[in-house]
Amino acid sequence: MDFQNLKIRDIELAIRYQTDTKSWTAKNNTHHVIGISISGKEHHNFGYQSFVVDDNCIFFFNQRDNYSVYAEEKGACYVVHFTTYEPITTDSFAIKIHNEDQIIHLFMKMIKYKSISGESEHEAVSDFYKICSIFDHIRLKKYAPRDNRIQQAREYIDHHFNEPECLREVYSGCELSRRRFDELFKAEYLVTPNAYIISQKIRFARKLLILQEISVNEISELSGFSDVGYFCKVFKKMTEQTPSEFRKSQYEEVL
């Protein structure tokens, strides 16, 4: 059974995991692991392959694999441990992504289920299948031919997302109609260009909020929002915290 057709037997654990050691080895695993890294940098060696897991990197570790890990930078990630009815034939993988908000939101929902059983079991399994579907789409896209125009547009957005004319410049610089461009962009990145720009603004805002000396008003402006009220509304919708709550939580983690 490959990853695309997996059938969940049990979701054993869903947590926000914080790295606390420099190196370790995983052997004789009883479960598969799927997750997304939100900070840090780890080197994973599987013998037949190796890869780096750092911020905004999704990963799947097959239960059959033994592997060693060296944490170059200690960090944190969201992970789910699960089992399937049949062994998964797909190799372990790690892929850097550019739009992590939907995935992080789903992992946060998984973690909020106090116990993945009873009334919450059906909803937890449904959300987990959504995560697996997104991961598989990204995995297949990584090895599929790509439209250079869409990649170049995404790279332009990554550097100019906080500028008012960003999307207009993207549209005028490509050789496609707006409708066709939107279709191709969403097929590639699972999100519309406008939603991707907003996600980049929020990602940038999260980084700035860690700096205590910058006000929320300033962060809103630097991130490309013309109205701080709208910024706060969008930020809470995408992170389930207000900017102030997010800043406080990051400060408490440091302490």
Side-chain angles (χ1 to χ4, degrees):
M1 177 183 66
D2 63 17
F3 188 85
Q4 189 172 20
N5 300 308
L6 60 80
K7 297 293 186 293
I8 307 301
R9 180 175 183 176
D10 185 41
I11 299 173
E12 299 181 357
L13 182 67
I15 60 171
R16 184 182 187 277
Y17 173 74
Q18 192 92 20
T19 306
D20 56 6
T21 56
K22 269 289 189 181
S23 61
W24 66 94
T25 300
K27 293 183 176 180
N28 304 317
N29 303 301
T30 60
H31 50 261
H32 304 290
V33 179
I34 191 171
I36 181 168
S37 178
I38 54 178
S39 63
K41 185 175 184 180
E42 298 177 355
H43 299 264
H44 290 69
N45 188 342
F46 290 76
Y48 67 95
Q49 68 169 332
S50 61
F51 41 68
V52 174
V53 175
D54 55 7
D55 62 312
N56 304 326
C57 186
I58 63 169
F59 54 84
F60 162 69
F61 300 153
N62 196 309
Q63 176 185 343
R64 73 183 182 206
D65 287 338
N66 297 326
Y67 56 93
S68 60
V69 184
Y70 169 71
E72 182 177 334
E73 298 174 9
K74 294 182 180 181
C77 58
Y78 294 111
V79 297
V80 173
H81 294 180
F82 69 100
T83 58
T84 53
Y85 286 101
E86 297 178 33
I88 299 176
T89 57
T90 303
D91 290 338
S92 299
F93 61 80
I95 303 171
K96 188 85 168 180
I97 62 173
H98 301 283
N99 181 42
E100 75 282 6
D101 295 302
Q102 181 185 12
I103 296 172
I104 289 177
H105 179 71
L106 286 168
F107 272 101
M108 289 173 66
K109 286 181 66 179
M110 294 289 298
I111 293 169
K112 282 188 174 181
Y113 298 125
K114 301 299 183 183
S115 175
I116 304 177
S117 61
E119 294 182 0
S120 66
E121 183 175 8
H122 178 74
E123 189 172 356
V125 171
S126 176
D127 282 338
F128 187 63
Y129 271 116
K130 290 178 185 177
I131 291 172
C132 292
S133 177
I134 294 170
F135 273 44
D136 192 57
H137 179 90
I138 294 170
R139 180 179 68 90
L140 294 175
K141 277 288 184 181
K142 178 177 173 62
Y143 303 105
R146 295 187 171 185
D147 189 323
N148 288 333
R149 294 169 298 184
I150 304 304
Q151 285 187 288
Q152 290 170 3
R154 193 266 303 163
E155 290 171 1
Y156 180 87
I157 291 173
D158 288 345
H159 291 92
H160 302 274
F161 61 86
N162 55 354
E163 298 176 7
E165 301 299 315
C166 177
L167 189 54
R168 183 175 297 178
E169 290 295 326
V170 168
Y171 284 137
S172 63
C174 71
E175 301 171 351
L176 301 163
S177 68
R178 291 192 177 193
R179 181 177 180 180
R180 182 56 179 160
F181 177 84
D182 287 355
E183 289 174 348
L184 292 174
F185 193 96
K186 188 171 183 179
E188 180 71 28
Y189 299 112
L190 300 177
V191 67
T192 65
N194 187 60
Y196 182 74
I197 289 173
I198 292 175
S199 72
Q200 293 301 90
K201 290 180 178 182
I202 296 301
R203 178 193 294 180
F204 185 63
R206 286 202 302 258
K207 292 180 180 179
L208 293 181
L209 283 164
I210 298 173
L211 306 175
Q212 299 291 324
E213 64 271 17
I214 306 179
S215 71
V216 171
N217 281 352
E218 290 175 301
I219 291 172
S220 172
E221 184 176 350
L222 290 170
S223 301
F225 290 93
S226 58
D227 180 80
V228 68
Y230 179 65
F231 162 63
C232 292
K233 181 180 179 180
V234 173
F235 191 94
K236 185 169 184 178
K237 181 180 179 181
M238 296 183 69
T239 67
E240 299 189 349
Q241 292 178 303
T242 65
S244 297
E245 289 169 343
F246 177 84
R247 169 172 276 173
K248 182 179 179 182
S249 69
Q250 296 302 302
Y251 180 69
E252 288 173 346
E253 282 186 11
V254 172
L255 293 179

